[in-house]
Amino acid sequence: RQRVLSGAGYEWNVTGGVRWGIAGSEAYGRGSAAIGGSLSSDIRFSLPANYTLAITNTVAYYQTEEVNYGGSAVRYDLQNQFYRNGFTLARPIGQTRSGLPLQAGFTFVQTNITGDRSRVNNWQEYGVVVAMGGNLPTRFSATYLDGNNGFQGFRFGFSTAF
């Protein structure tokens, strides 16, 4: 995370990332690896009544790679670009028993995928988040997802910074 600008009532950070993962099935003797990178921009504005508006945009590229598993090789050969744009509106709601600051908020995220064909290439996320801690917060979230081709779901999350 790299701070780009900050001033009275705003802060802008950018974050780069690299991800790599592998998945396979022993029953089917198949697997694939995915590798990619992303760049995120996060700008936060202080609003009246202690509200904070965070606007986050991410662009990412991921592709799959062949994995030999159980004597066979599978190459899915996918290359996709991901575009995520969203916001969070949050405010302090008190402190934990140990004195850590506590915040709650609402989130909305729009995700679009381009590149190789995908069954679900766009979706919206509507959620609530509770965060405790200051510079290195722990977050709990609940999100409803609604996308094209009948895609719907719920996601519950936990994350912590260190």
Side-chain angles (χ1 to χ4, degrees):
R1 179 176 164 169
Q2 178 64 48
R3 179 168 290 144
V4 177
L5 292 172
S6 66
Y10 71 93
E11 180 179 315
W12 180 29
N13 296 287
V14 294
T15 305
V18 175
R19 292 184 181 199
W20 181 83
I22 189 167
S25 169
E26 187 175 354
Y28 292 105
R30 296 183 178 155
S32 186
I35 188 167
S38 64
L39 182 64
S40 295
S41 169
D42 177 74
I43 188 163
R44 295 170 186 261
F45 299 99
S46 297
L47 302 176
N50 286 328
Y51 280 93
T52 300
L53 174 64
I55 301 171
T56 304
N57 301 291
T58 301
V59 60
Y61 174 82
Y62 291 96
Q63 68 182 42
T64 57
E65 296 293 333
E66 181 179 311
V67 172
N68 292 311
Y69 184 77
S72 63
V74 176
R75 181 158 177 82
Y76 288 109
D77 195 28
L78 297 175
Q79 292 89 32
N80 292 100
Q81 300 80 40
F82 292 76
Y83 304 94
R84 291 176 53 86
N85 302 291
F87 70 87
T88 301
L89 182 63
R91 72 180 299 260
I93 58 171
Q95 295 182 346
T96 65
R97 286 188 173 171
S98 61
L100 293 173
L102 197 58
Q103 280 195 335
F106 298 98
T107 64
F108 171 79
V109 177
Q110 169 70 42
T111 301
N112 295 295
I113 302 173
T114 62
D116 289 328
R117 189 174 172 199
S118 176
R119 169 97 171 112
V120 179
N121 62 10
N122 69 74
W123 62 90
Q124 300 77 39
E125 303 172 29
Y126 308 89
V128 293
V129 62
V130 175
M132 63 180 176
N135 291 333
L136 300 173
T138 298
R139 292 184 173 90
F140 301 91
S141 62
T143 306
Y144 168 71
L145 296 94
D146 182 35
N148 67 322
N149 294 321
F151 173 71
Q152 293 182 328
F154 288 97
R155 179 176 56 216
F156 300 96
F158 165 79
S159 66
T160 189
F162 54 91

